[in-house]
Amino acid sequence: MKCPYCQNIIDDDSRWCDQCGKELMFCPSCREPRKGRTCPRCGEMLVGADQFFGDAQKASGLRLSGSGMSLTLRDGVFGRRGGIFPELSSCGYVSGTHGELKFSAGQNCWTIRDLGSTNGTFIGGTRLEKDRWYVLKAGDSLRIATLDFTVEKA
């Protein structure tokens, strides 16, 4: 994501900008870091990073287990180049920017999309279409390239 103050690219789960040092505030609706007290796009009050990330994790209660890893679901892009799951950086079949997870507070569910990865993302053996959002639920089997996970309650 981009820091709203210095415009540098920072990790998607950042609470502070590691370039300019500013504390990040987030719009709960737009799910983006913003300047000020209210979101210039939708007008909603901004919240601190701890509240923003904490609320999503409490509401979701899901994680991915398998392939020797346990990954708590968070909003953001994932892939070999980093993002929300740095554990995937050593997995050669995972694309650099493989996919994205997003919590939908309105529907109280997690969604996932493939960003055009070479080796695909699969739910229950069905390959996800590029840039289309799919709902994830406890009990689903999820494959990211060659890595097999089960979606579980945290």
Side-chain angles (χ1 to χ4, degrees):
M1 73 180 160
K2 191 182 281 192
C3 172
Y5 299 98
C6 68
Q7 304 301 308
N8 282 304
I9 302 300
I10 55 177
D11 290 336
D12 288 336
D13 61 348
S14 295
R15 284 158 166 68
W16 300 82
C17 177
D18 59 4
Q19 303 296 314
C20 70
K22 297 270 189 182
E23 180 180 10
L24 300 176
M25 299 294 286
F26 291 84
C27 173
S29 294
C30 299
R31 317 278 310 157
E32 299 278 335
R34 304 278 190 223
K35 282 188 196 180
R37 295 178 187 258
T38 59
C39 178
R41 181 187 285 161
C42 71
E44 190 159 344
M45 291 294 295
L46 301 181
V47 297
D50 288 339
Q51 181 181 344
F52 177 76
F53 288 111
D55 286 351
Q57 287 183 354
K58 285 179 197 168
S60 76
L62 294 179
R63 70 172 175 233
L64 303 178
S65 291
S67 296
M69 300 177 218
S70 181
L71 309 171
T72 301
L73 298 189
R74 298 184 302 204
D75 280 337
V77 174
F78 60 89
R80 199 176 60 250
R81 284 192 221 129
I84 59 172
F85 301 138
E87 298 88 343
L88 302 180
S89 64
S90 62
C91 304
Y93 292 100
V94 174
S95 292
T97 305
H98 194 97
E100 183 176 10
L101 285 164
K102 184 175 183 182
F103 184 73
S104 172
Q107 297 177 347
N108 197 34
C109 67
W110 279 100
T111 56
I112 188 170
R113 70 176 173 160
D114 187 276
L115 296 174
S117 66
T118 302
N119 293 306
T121 307
F122 302 79
I123 297 176
T126 302
R127 187 176 184 142
L128 307 186
E129 294 177 30
K130 178 184 175 188
D131 290 327
R132 181 174 165 211
W133 289 99
Y134 294 81
V135 173
L136 277 179
K137 17 183 215 318
D140 283 347
S141 63
L142 178 70
R143 175 175 266 199
I144 299 171
T146 58
L147 304 173
D148 291 315
F149 297 97
T150 301
V151 181
E152 299 176 342
K153 291 188 178 190

